[in-house]
Amino acid sequence: MKIGILGYGKEGQSVEQYFQKHDAETKVFDHFTAETLPDLDYSGLDLVFRTPSVPPYTHWPRTSETTPPPEHWSSITRYFFAHCPAPIIGVTGTKGKGTTSSLITTLLRALGQETYLVGNIGYPALDALDDITANDAVVYEMSSFQLWDMQQSPHIAVVLRIDPDHTNVHHGFEDYVNAKTNITRYQTANDTCIYYSPDSDSARVGSESPAGHKIAYPVTNPTEREELDEILDHLTIPGQHNRDNAEAALLAVSSFYNFSLSEFLAKYHDIIIKTLTDFPGLPHRLQFIREFNGVKYYDDNFASAFPALDVAIAAFPDRPVFLIAGGQDRGMDQAPASERIFSALNVQKAFLIGETSPKLAAGRDPEHFQLCTTLAEAFDAARLAAEATAKSSSASPIVLMSPGAPSFDMFKNFADRGEKFQKLIQEL
């Protein structure tokens, strides 16, 4: 068998290693664009894998002169679903996928279940496939790119809040939502769908599921709500959005064990509380770094779009917040982010960096923002303002970096941006 691989990043390398281990010949295609994909030479290939950054074949620009592609197209996600012997819990949404997937995995492992966490979180699924047995569990974080051409759905589908994203790759928001709908579209009556009911798009994805068990969250049953809130009060990572993520995780794990939520919370009460208390969250997602001179520092550099910035501000309603925001300008409307920053009662002052900073500041009171040319300049200004407030405030001020924009104007990626922010904090 001869395998073609479109893209040679982390997942492309995983495909190559997996199939070479299984005695297949591989051919890697790299250094192409979406426009040149139809003109690559696919002759002699039995199977072609696209990596997540590559659109499915059905979305390519086609002309009569294009080389006919091989009959079979696939991806890591499609191949994994077709060959995985264990039940799969799939998680999608715009933000919160990584936290929810990690918390589901942590809960299952705390309960003694052998569990593999794979997918968009950074662990290519084929790296684990040969080790997985029917007695195991798989938690798969699924981006719209991984779901784009899926023809199977997970046994348990978790659909978090959906907001506009990746519209520069998808053919608009509808295409983005349609891709995400594949997480529920192929479920059966024996499957479970968990969806976020306050969000109409999450509810729409949930409504597409033929699953026999559909669960809307936040739960509204008074008894379950009281039991759940008591448990969620032990969650140490901040923000209502993280309480929502934890609720979705608890519903997913209770469904995995075929318990009602009340039964699950009662049976494993102490284990659940310890897991939520000890769960540190993920790097650069509202990550608490340290307290210094009465100021607490939080790194939310994973926030590359307005919805993430929105929930970060909301995570500290009773604290004076000194916000570092701004980043790469991809032509998105910055008015919603600007309105949110300057109308939030807890945001004392914004320290703006990057290409979006002039748009965020346009028409705003100069007393409430400072334009900064470097991260170090923004950090020093935010630190001094927060330390001055700490001397007269009973609540610890927060220095929060939540850019609400991509990082590529000034940094390699969001992790590089976050690491540089953390270095400034640790050097205090």
Side-chain angles (χ1 to χ4, degrees), residues 100 123 139 152 243 288 290 355 360 402:
T100 305
Y123 310 129
V139 181
Q152 288 178 264
R243 288 177 70 96
F288 174 67
R290 69 180 292 199
E355 295 172 354
L360 292 171
S402 185

Side-chain angles (χ1 to χ4, degrees), residues 58-81:
T58 53
H59 285 63
W60 290 6
R62 299 297 306 281
T63 71
S64 58
E65 292 79 28
T66 57
T67 304
E71 181 180 355
H72 300 293
W73 290 85
S74 192
S75 66
I76 281 187
T77 311
R78 286 179 64 172
Y79 189 91
F80 183 88
F81 268 64

Side-chain angles (χ1 to χ4, degrees), residues 179-336:
K180 291 211 175 271
T181 303
N182 285 333
I183 199 171
T184 60
R185 184 172 279 139
Y186 304 102
Q187 287 192 302
T188 72
N190 296 320
D191 296 326
T192 298
C193 171
I194 298 163
Y195 64 92
Y196 183 59
S197 59
D199 175 49
S200 60
D201 293 303
S202 177
R204 175 157 56 117
V205 173
S207 71
E208 291 285 331
S209 174
H213 196 198
K214 293 184 182 180
I215 305 172
Y217 78 99
V219 301
T220 55
N221 176 281
T223 301
E224 286 187 333
R225 187 72 258 164
E226 184 177 351
E227 295 167 343
L228 189 54
D229 284 338
E230 184 271 324
I231 290 282
L232 291 175
D233 285 344
H234 293 273
L235 187 69
T236 53
I237 55 176
Q240 179 59 46
H241 66 295
N242 278 323
R243 288 177 70 96
D244 291 339
N245 293 337
E247 182 169 342
L250 290 167
L251 289 167
V253 178
S254 64
S255 297
F256 180 84
Y257 287 108
N258 293 314
F259 287 126
S260 71
L261 182 60
S262 290
E263 290 172 332
F264 176 66
L265 296 180
K267 184 175 179 65
Y268 299 113
H269 182 269
D270 292 345
I271 295 175
I272 294 169
I273 285 178
K274 186 177 189 315
T275 302
L276 295 184
T277 302
D278 294 345
F279 184 68
L282 299 182
H284 314 303
R285 279 89 157 173
L286 271 184
Q287 180 185 4
F288 174 67
I289 306 304
R290 69 180 292 199
E291 183 171 354
F292 182 81
N293 281 354
V295 177
K296 293 185 176 181
Y297 292 84
Y298 283 85
D299 172 6
D300 193 44
N301 274 284
F302 190 69
S304 59
F306 166 65
L309 169 63
D310 182 25
V311 297
I313 291 172
F316 306 101
D318 302 319
R319 302 275 182 166
V321 172
F322 295 85
L323 175 69
I324 302 173
Q328 184 184 30
D329 187 352
R330 287 187 171 175
M332 299 291 288
D333 181 12
Q334 297 300 319

Side-chain angles (χ1 to χ4, degrees), residues 141-160:
E141 183 191 332
M142 309 185 77
S143 72
S144 62
F145 301 146
Q146 289 163 317
L147 285 163
W148 217 345
D149 55 352
M150 285 296 290
Q151 297 175 343
Q152 288 178 264
S153 298
H155 172 52
I156 299 173
V158 180
V159 187
L160 309 176

